[in-house]
Amino acid sequence: MLVPIAVALGAVVLAASEFMIAFAFTPPGGEALREVSSADRHGYSLLLLAVFALVALGFALMTGSRPAAYAVAGAGVVAMLLFLIVDLPDAGKLGDLEDPVRGFASARAEPQAGFWLEALGALTLGLGGIAFASLGPEQMRALPNRLRRRPKAEAGERTGPDPAGG
């Protein structure tokens, strides 16, 4: 049952991307004039989607709720759409940037680590959320139940007759 783990990791990566630099605006042959974080671009909306997805995932795992599983998938799809519509078109785009030293300067939006983590987190949360929403209630509840049960061999318990005959 790796789907819930993948969804949770996707949400954590997406949340972490909000605190990282998404783009560095760099003139041709120069150093970055300005850096923009993902939070500056989205106003922490991806962080809210990630937290919502984690809460809905936990609720779905504990109760087997299909609507909660659909909420996880919805949060992932919205995160993917935000990445595809808002951030991806700006990657590598050349435009004018106001610089206090140079006035207006042409600069290219160079993707940074936050951009790539956002892509990875949104894709993982979106596709994993869709896969999670396709599970049945019994499958959703299977992971927490499996974690609560300890194998009897590890617990040192004997469940049947002694194999040595005694």
Side-chain angles (χ1 to χ4, degrees):
M1 197 54 122
L2 296 177
V3 173
I5 295 169
V7 169
L9 287 175
V12 168
V13 168
L14 186 65
S17 75
E18 282 288 272
F19 300 102
M20 300 181 75
I21 302 300
F23 290 106
F25 296 102
T26 309
E31 291 188 27
L33 299 175
R34 186 180 309 158
E35 294 178 332
V36 176
S37 71
S38 294
D40 293 337
R41 294 183 56 82
H42 308 116
Y44 294 104
S45 61
L46 293 178
L47 176 65
L48 291 173
L49 282 171
V51 170
F52 174 76
L54 285 172
V55 170
L57 176 68
F59 186 76
L61 287 172
M62 294 304 174
T63 65
S65 169
R66 298 294 308 256
Y70 293 146
V72 173
V77 168
V78 170
M80 282 194 320
L81 287 173
L82 279 172
F83 174 76
L84 293 172
I85 294 171
V86 175
D87 289 335
L88 189 59
D90 289 342
K93 189 181 269 186
L94 184 64
D96 291 332
L97 184 68
E98 187 175 351
D99 182 29
V101 175
R102 300 180 189 175
F104 282 101
S106 289
R108 184 172 306 279
E110 300 289 337
Q112 301 296 306
F115 174 86
W116 299 112
L117 281 180
E118 179 185 336
L120 179 66
L123 186 65
T124 305
L125 179 59
L127 296 178
I130 291 169
F132 182 69
S134 70
L135 298 177
E138 297 82 23
Q139 292 170 317
M140 284 186 238
R141 288 189 298 258
L143 182 66
N145 290 339
R146 197 174 329 163
L147 293 176
R148 277 186 238 139
R149 286 183 286 179
R150 293 188 330 184
K152 294 184 180 184
E154 288 180 16
E157 300 172 7
R158 298 177 72 167
T159 57
D162 187 4

